[in-house]
Amino acid sequence: MELRQLEYFVAVAEEAGFTRAAQRVHISQSGVSAQVKALEAELGAELFDRSGRVARLTEAGRVALEYAQAALTAATRLRQAIDEVKGLVRGHLTVGMVTGCEITPLFAALAAFHREHPAIELELLEDDSRTLVNSVRTGLADIALVGVACAPPEHLSAQVIASEGLVALVPPDHPQASVAGLPLRELMAYSLVTLPEGTGIRAAFDEACVSASLIPDVVLVASAPAAVADMAARGLGIAVLSESMGKLHPGLVAVPITELGIPALLALVWRPRTSPALAALLPHLRREFGDN
């Protein structure tokens, strides 16, 4: 039997279907089906009950699944061990980044890493923070730069890059442009332009509002911070962003939002068990961001 047959068998078992398994392993459904049938022929037993819409494991399939998963894990660890012994790091790394988040140190770290390890293919994945955290948990991403509220996600290794308060971006002639700070409760009197749910800044803002029993009037949501600021400059509402984004638009004044009590964090997150490739990338990231 071949490792790919075991991989496809495990994928069908875990996804409970041939279509989703094919999407997961990036080959056609017919290809997955053919390889699973070949494995069944070699074992002399059907591994799935195909009579329904969901692929269900037979008794033989349930027994085989545990050993197939163990075999795949052993093969991965074997490759990692040999790579480490030989000083070779190769493979593929998927690095997640919040949509519209242009963080120069991240790009600098990836460039330095590529010069040192050109055999490793790098893939940059952009999405909202909530989706990226889930991608790291499930293995779809190896590491991600995400925004979170209060603290990094549980059960993941993390490096906090920045902890910031939030600001309200308003035009110079706005009634709040000259104040030293804008209390959260007073901000509720205005229409707001924000980042979407699933971003760290929005999560910190929403949690602060919930804690204070306040309901914000969000009139527009944009995925890019620069777009949020631009919409505020055009009079759609007050923009709510982080302190570091306060200079995104030269025509706006950044007023600190007070009485929040919940910081917005920018953090790198990854699974505790690292591959050799990720282990080689981490020092570059720590060097660029600083090991906080």
Side-chain angles (χ1 to χ4, degrees):
M1 67 185 68
E2 301 177 5
L3 283 176
R4 65 173 178 173
Q5 293 174 337
L6 298 180
E7 179 187 0
Y8 299 165
F9 161 58
V10 170
V12 175
E14 292 180 348
E15 299 294 338
F18 286 85
T19 300
R20 288 190 297 273
Q23 294 171 345
R24 169 170 151 178
V25 299
H26 305 296
I27 70 166
S28 66
Q29 181 178 339
S30 60
V32 171
S33 181
Q35 290 298 325
V36 171
K37 286 182 179 178
L39 179 61
E40 290 176 321
E42 184 169 347
L43 294 174
E46 290 190 354
L47 302 176
F48 293 102
D49 177 357
R50 298 172 172 81
S51 61
R53 297 180 62 183
V54 176
R56 300 184 184 278
L57 287 168
T58 62
E59 186 63 31
R62 284 190 287 272
V63 171
L65 179 60
E66 178 182 353
Y67 290 98
Q69 290 171 326
L72 292 174
T73 299
T76 298
R77 291 178 178 173
L78 171 62
R79 171 56 64 190
Q80 291 175 354
I82 297 302
D83 283 349
E84 289 170 355
V85 168
K86 294 171 64 178
L88 269 177
V89 179
R90 60 189 176 190
H92 178 278
L93 279 177
T94 299
V95 180
M97 182 183 75
V98 177
T99 301
C101 181
E102 296 185 3
I103 303 297
T104 302
L106 174 63
F107 301 149
L110 293 178
F113 173 77
H114 177 68
R115 287 192 295 270
E116 190 172 311
H117 301 285
I120 296 180
E121 180 185 359
L122 292 171
E123 178 183 356
L124 197 59
L125 175 66
E126 289 189 273
D127 216 317
D128 65 72
S129 294
R130 183 186 303 165
T131 302
L132 289 174
V133 169
N134 288 335
S135 294
V136 171
R137 292 190 192 281
T138 60
L140 294 177
D142 297 284
I143 189 169
L145 183 63
V146 300
V148 294
C150 300
E154 293 184 347
H155 311 304
L156 290 177
S157 297
Q159 178 183 347
V160 175
I161 305 304
S163 176
E164 301 182 296
L166 302 183
V167 296
L169 296 183
V170 298
D173 58 352
H174 193 278
Q176 299 293 344
S178 60
V179 301
L182 180 58
L184 181 64
R185 188 170 296 277
E186 292 184 20
L187 182 64
M188 297 299 104
Y190 299 94
S191 299
L192 306 177
V193 183
T194 72
L195 293 169
E197 294 182 0
T199 59
I201 293 171
R202 179 64 184 272
F205 178 67
D206 286 347
E207 288 188 27
C209 289
V210 170
S211 297
S213 300
L214 300 173
I215 301 176
D217 179 20
V218 177
V219 297
L220 188 140
V221 170
S223 60
V228 172
D230 188 64
M231 291 299 103
R234 296 174 185 275
L236 269 76
I238 293 179
V240 177
L241 292 171
S242 67
E243 291 173 355
S244 62
M245 297 173 181
K247 298 180 180 179
L248 278 175
H249 198 291
L252 295 175
V253 176
V255 180
I257 300 174
T258 61
E259 301 177 3
L260 277 172
I262 297 175
L265 305 182
L266 187 65
L268 288 164
V269 296
W270 64 93
R271 293 184 304 283
R273 181 185 291 276
T274 60
S275 67
L278 180 55
L281 173 62
L282 287 173
H284 291 278
L285 292 167
R286 291 180 176 128
R287 188 177 305 119
E288 293 295 335
F289 284 111
D291 197 353
N292 297 332

